[in-house]
Amino acid sequence: MSSEPQAAGPLSGLLVIDLTRVLAGPYATMVLADLGARVIKVEAPGVGDDARQFPPFLAAGDSGYFASINCGKESIALNLKASADLAILEALLARADVLVENFRPGTMEKLGLSYEVLKERFPRLIYAAASGFGHTGPESSRPAYDLVVQAMGGLMSMTGQPDNPPTRVGTSIGDIAAGMFTVIGIQAALIDRQRTGLGQKVDVAMLDCQLAILESAIARYQVTGQNPTPLGSRHPAITPFQAFRCADRAIVIAAGNDNLWAACRDALGLQSLSADPRYASVDSRNSNQPALAEAIETRLLTAPADHWLALLAAAGVPSGPINGVAEAIAQPQVQARNMLVETETPGGAPLKIAGNPVKLSGHADPASRRPAPRLDADRAKILAELGSADKMKSLAELDTLAD
Amino acid sequence: MSSEPQAAGPLSGLLVIDLTRVLAGPYATMVLADLGARVIKVEAPGVGDDARQFPPFLAAGDSGYFASINCGKESIALNLKASADLAILEALLARADVLVENFRPGTMEKLGLSYEVLKERFPRLIYAAASGFGHTGPESSRPAYDLVVQAMGGLMSMTGQPDNPPTRVGTSIGDIAAGMFTVIGIQAALIDRQRTGLGQKVDVAMLDCQLAILESAIARYQVTGQNPTPLGSRHPAITPFQAFRCADRAIVIAAGNDNLWAACRDALGLQSLSADPRYASVDSRNSNQPALAEAIETRLLTAPADHWLALLAAAGVPSGPINGVAEAIAQPQVQARNMLVETETPGGAPLKIAGNPVKLSGHADPASRRPAPRLDADRAKILAELGSADKMKSLAELDTLAD
């Protein structure tokens, strides 16, 4: 599989030099690779990306975690404190469209690779930094992991059951949201470069991104003067919109407006509630949520989940099972949308990973990905290309050729 | 404030026609507006976007929810089932770079506005659709809300305290992740259009995006054969990495590797644990998480959170308070990064909303946003521009002029 070229995508020709480790940065460059970019991952000799040591392992030292986030990339090991290796990085940057790093702010300066230095030497280069707190502000140098920004950014205070211990979102949304905004910033800078001919710096902070995904919570705080609190599975402004137990397991129902509530009520055989003024409007349903939830759950507990889901689906009421990962990836819709693709770990073990959620009519959506690279796997090829004037091209050069 | 032009950004000149409602689509077009695009929101006459009816309200009918997600956009009310209004939409599409819609699949076909029809008439137009389940597959037409895809996509099964009722992420991450991937797809299509001269269809499903943010969970399921389960505030592969109670309130500590664990241990005065083989490696700490957590929490309960946070910060250990929204937005770092900006509701009430997390060296980061529009507020201006050949331009036209 590794000899196949990456499928052509909208970002084909884009050359990305990737100094990132663990998650926020590697997630961003994986999205770019899925869109067709060439991503050269520059890793520390010896150990490489820390994520190579993260479980689950398919064999000793063969991380499924690393493989999930780094498929389709190339790897070269460079010691950036050694001048010969630094020269290789600089040769790569001279050809590249984009540099991505997620070091603690100040690290690139110590390496002599600050944005100001790189901008002078490589004016078309887009420099993207994903960090915990950003490259400005009093806490810029403070260290962060996902959990820290989920906590400091407010999301953790709104997630969980009421009066329970603090609850983290079960995926690293602190890193992943920052990875997505880093991609958005890089692509915006690429579009800008078409006009200006110049690169720029993209500075994304994980903490900032947590603020950016709080939805209406900031407005709610301002209007009520109260901090939003965890609501279990409920929505703060829509009722019924939560999980309910059935005879065998729980399901979710999301009746987002009056028509859907009427359809839900009738599908569940609760027509008796139609005359109840407590449930006549979104506002009154919100105010009487506990009583309404009890009425619905009492009914749902009389039959299994599949019975109710079939009735709700027939009535067009948004609803569904609460799937584990096994059930989620086995869904026919997920299969039909190619959202589970084949790859291999660096050690050669087969592994399925999430597909590309950006479906484009102009490009194929491959059902496999090149494996995540072994550390330094692409050194010889990369050095040979650097030695040959016309072998490694950036998107900027391709654009110039096309003019 | 509404008379100020939108600040120039990397997407200045981009003309987006926005048919979206509630959240996933409006979030995407808000990100585009924050990057400088002109977004014309086309709403149903009479009520407009459903989100105008969502609390919190700053005055009767003046939704802070709507204002949070629609600042910087223009509004025109069009009845797409009436031929005169449909003609206005078509005139807008003739000028536009991007059309975004988040209807249930099939709705645009019923309006005579399928991608196939629009592609013939407007070959440079990028058509972006955000839907619950996508425009292909057996469940394409199934209705969805955020809660449904959080449940069906697996995230809910991994979020919460062990053995508790199902727990939803406290923000609508089902919509928001889809909104972000819609932006990523639109920008990728814009970059592609520079080469091909042609638009394309971007088809993003909320369910697909939930799969795409599961991080290592799909790999963990394949390796262990077990569904990942909720872990409260813990990380599945790093210890200590969770919330702990102190004498007054809880904090988070994320000691992501051996060095950080050693620093954490010493900062908390737990040097006695340094010789304990149970805590010598990431693997052994993961295996002995309950005992280690108890040892740490017993210590932390002897003093207040601020005491421990100061010691951990001095030692460089990633850690922080669990902030409510009030504390999150009041942080000096959030203020310094301009992550809380001023706007107004459609009714003219002042409101602070999250800023733009994409910080670009080439563009200013304004501290205010134009208000979210009143329904149909920009009709006269938009119709006047349509009547004048050179008033409303797309990015594609601007590019042509620049050549």
Side-chain angles (χ1 to χ4, degrees):
Chain A
M1 200 184 309
S2 64
S3 61
E4 289 176 26
Q6 195 74 354
L11 301 187
S12 292
L14 190 76
L15 180 58
V16 178
I17 306 304
D18 180 4
L19 301 182
T20 69
R21 301 88 25 83
V22 183
L23 189 49
Y27 191 88
T29 57
M30 181 180 69
V31 172
L32 295 172
D34 278 356
L35 293 169
R38 179 180 183 184
V39 176
I40 297 180
K41 189 173 173 82
V42 175
E43 299 183 77
V47 293
D49 185 340
D50 287 345
R52 292 182 181 275
Q53 318 304 324
F54 285 8
F57 296 103
L58 284 95
D62 191 22
S63 166
Y65 185 107
F66 179 80
S68 299
I69 312 288
N70 290 282
C71 57
K73 304 176 188 175
E74 302 170 28
S75 172
I76 184 168
L78 297 177
N79 176 0
L80 299 183
K81 294 174 183 165
S83 59
D85 279 7
L86 193 57
I88 294 172
L89 176 66
E90 291 170 343
L92 287 168
L93 294 178
R95 317 287 184 103
D97 296 288
V98 180
L99 168 69
V100 193
E101 57 95 349
N102 67 341
F103 294 117
R104 188 103 68 90
T107 304
M108 292 293 278
E109 283 73 8
K110 286 184 198 150
L111 294 168
L113 298 168
S114 69
Y115 171 63
E116 287 65 31
V117 167
L118 294 176
K119 176 188 180 183
E120 286 299 315
R121 295 185 57 190
F122 313 116
R124 289 181 71 91
L125 183 70
I126 291 161
Y127 178 119
S131 61
F133 294 88
H135 279 220
T136 59
E139 302 203 278
S140 174
S141 64
R142 181 173 178 157
Y145 276 85
D146 175 77
L147 177 67
V148 176
V149 298
Q150 284 200 27
M152 293 178 70
L155 183 56
M156 208 164 170
S157 75
M158 295 158 45
T159 299
Q161 301 292 326
D163 304 317
N164 258 18
T167 301
R168 172 179 175 267
V169 176
T171 192
S172 295
I173 199 66
D175 285 287
I176 291 170
M180 285 196 272
F181 275 117
T182 300
V183 172
I184 289 170
I186 289 169
Q187 291 191 321
L190 284 163
I191 292 166
D192 212 19
R193 192 178 70 174
Q194 290 283 351
R195 270 182 289 209
T196 64
L198 296 172
Q200 59 188 302
K201 181 172 179 178
V202 180
D203 167 16
V204 171
M206 289 165 63
L207 180 65
D208 292 355
C209 295
Q210 292 297 289
L211 273 288
I213 65 171
L214 288 182
E215 196 194 345
S216 63
I218 298 174
R220 276 183 278 143
Y221 165 68
Q222 288 171 86
V223 169
T224 66
Q226 301 291 318
N227 267 332
T229 55
L231 296 175
S233 65
R234 284 175 49 214
H235 191 280
I238 309 173
T239 303
F241 191 104
Q242 67 179 86
F244 295 99
R245 289 173 298 155
C246 302
D248 54 345
R249 61 196 167 102
I251 63 172
V252 296
I253 299 176
N257 57 42
D258 289 339
N259 288 340
L260 288 172
W261 159 239
C264 169
R265 185 190 64 208
D266 294 352
L268 300 182
L270 292 169
Q271 285 85 348
S272 61
L273 301 183
S274 67
D276 194 321
R278 291 177 299 171
Y279 311 137
S281 71
V282 173
D283 267 0
S284 64
R285 287 194 298 279
N286 284 337
S287 302
N288 294 289
Q289 182 274 335
L292 181 55
E294 190 184 340
I296 293 172
E297 194 162 80
T298 299
R299 176 76 177 150
L300 292 175
L301 283 166
T302 64
D306 287 346
H307 171 78
W308 300 117
L309 287 174
L311 290 174
L312 290 163
V317 178
S319 53
I322 300 171
N323 288 325
V325 169
E327 295 76 38
I329 63 179
Q331 295 175 90
Q333 184 69 7
V334 167
Q335 304 279 335
R337 298 274 296 173
N338 193 31
M339 279 309 297
L340 198 67
V341 299
E342 312 259 356
T343 189
E344 287 175 7
T345 62
L351 184 73
K352 291 180 179 172
I353 62 171
N356 177 5
V358 178
K359 309 299 185 190
L360 295 167
S361 65
H363 296 278
D365 183 28
S368 67
R369 295 282 183 282
R370 286 182 306 160
R374 284 173 291 104
L375 179 61
D376 208 26
D378 302 283
R379 165 175 291 268
K381 181 183 72 171
I382 291 166
L383 293 183
E385 289 186 70
L386 286 178
S388 165
D390 60 352
K391 277 270 179 64
M392 186 183 289
K393 287 206 166 24
S394 68
L395 186 64
E397 289 174 287
L398 294 173
D399 288 343
T400 308
L401 291 173
D403 282 349
Chain B
M1 202 184 309
S2 66
S3 61
E4 289 175 25
Q6 194 73 352
L11 301 187
S12 291
L14 189 76
L15 179 59
V16 178
I17 306 304
D18 180 3
L19 301 182
T20 68
R21 300 90 22 84
V22 183
L23 189 49
Y27 192 87
T29 56
M30 181 181 67
V31 171
L32 295 172
D34 278 356
L35 292 168
R38 178 179 184 184
V39 176
I40 297 179
K41 189 173 175 84
V42 175
E43 301 183 76
V47 294
D49 185 340
D50 287 346
R52 293 182 181 273
Q53 318 305 323
F54 286 7
F57 296 103
L58 283 94
D62 191 22
S63 166
Y65 185 107
F66 179 80
S68 298
I69 312 289
N70 289 284
C71 56
K73 304 176 187 174
E74 302 170 29
S75 173
I76 184 168
L78 296 177
N79 175 2
L80 299 183
K81 294 174 183 165
S83 59
D85 279 7
L86 193 58
I88 295 173
L89 176 66
E90 291 170 344
L92 288 169
L93 294 178
R95 318 287 183 102
D97 296 286
V98 180
L99 167 68
V100 193
E101 57 97 347
N102 67 341
F103 293 118
R104 189 102 70 88
T107 304
M108 291 292 279
E109 283 72 8
K110 286 184 200 151
L111 295 168
L113 297 169
S114 72
Y115 172 63
E116 288 65 31
V117 166
L118 294 177
K119 176 187 178 182
E120 287 298 316
R121 295 185 56 190
F122 313 115
R124 291 181 70 90
L125 183 70
I126 291 161
Y127 177 118
S131 60
F133 293 89
H135 279 220
T136 60
E139 301 203 278
S140 174
S141 63
R142 182 172 177 158
Y145 275 85
D146 174 77
L147 177 68
V148 175
V149 298
Q150 284 200 27
M152 294 179 71
L155 183 56
M156 209 163 168
S157 74
M158 297 157 46
T159 299
Q161 301 293 325
D163 305 319
N164 258 19
T167 301
R168 173 179 175 267
V169 176
T171 191
S172 295
I173 199 66
D175 284 287
I176 291 170
M180 285 195 273
F181 275 117
T182 300
V183 173
I184 288 170
I186 288 168
Q187 291 191 319
L190 283 165
I191 292 165
D192 212 19
R193 192 178 69 173
Q194 290 285 348
R195 271 183 291 210
T196 65
L198 297 172
Q200 60 189 299
K201 181 173 179 178
V202 180
D203 167 15
V204 171
M206 289 165 64
L207 181 65
D208 292 356
C209 294
Q210 292 296 288
L211 273 289
I213 64 171
L214 288 182
E215 197 194 344
S216 63
I218 297 174
R220 278 183 275 144
Y221 165 68
Q222 287 171 85
V223 169
T224 65
Q226 302 291 319
N227 267 334
T229 54
L231 296 174
S233 66
R234 285 176 48 215
H235 192 279
I238 309 174
T239 303
F241 191 105
Q242 66 179 87
F244 295 99
R245 289 173 296 155
C246 301
D248 53 345
R249 60 197 168 103
I251 64 172
V252 296
I253 300 176
N257 57 41
D258 289 341
N259 290 340
L260 288 172
W261 159 237
C264 168
R265 185 191 65 208
D266 295 351
L268 301 181
L270 292 169
Q271 285 86 348
S272 61
L273 301 181
S274 67
D276 194 323
R278 292 179 297 173
Y279 311 136
S281 70
V282 173
D283 268 0
S284 64
R285 287 194 298 279
N286 284 336
S287 303
N288 295 288
Q289 182 273 336
L292 181 54
E294 190 183 341
I296 292 171
E297 194 163 80
T298 300
R299 177 74 178 149
L300 292 176
L301 282 166
T302 64
D306 286 347
H307 171 78
W308 299 118
L309 288 174
L311 289 173
L312 291 163
V317 178
S319 53
I322 300 171
N323 288 326
V325 169
E327 297 76 36
I329 62 179
Q331 294 175 92
Q333 184 69 9
V334 167
Q335 304 281 336
R337 298 275 295 172
N338 193 30
M339 279 309 297
L340 198 67
V341 298
E342 312 260 355
T343 189
E344 285 175 8
T345 63
L351 185 73
K352 290 181 180 174
I353 62 171
N356 177 5
V358 178
K359 308 299 184 190
L360 295 167
S361 65
H363 295 277
D365 183 28
S368 66
R369 295 283 184 281
R370 284 183 306 162
R374 285 173 288 106
L375 178 61
D376 207 27
D378 301 285
R379 164 177 292 267
K381 180 182 71 169
I382 291 167
L383 293 183
E385 288 186 70
L386 286 177
S388 163
D390 60 352
K391 277 271 179 65
M392 185 183 289
K393 287 204 166 23
S394 70
L395 186 64
E397 289 174 286
L398 294 174
D399 288 345
T400 306
L401 292 174
D403 281 350

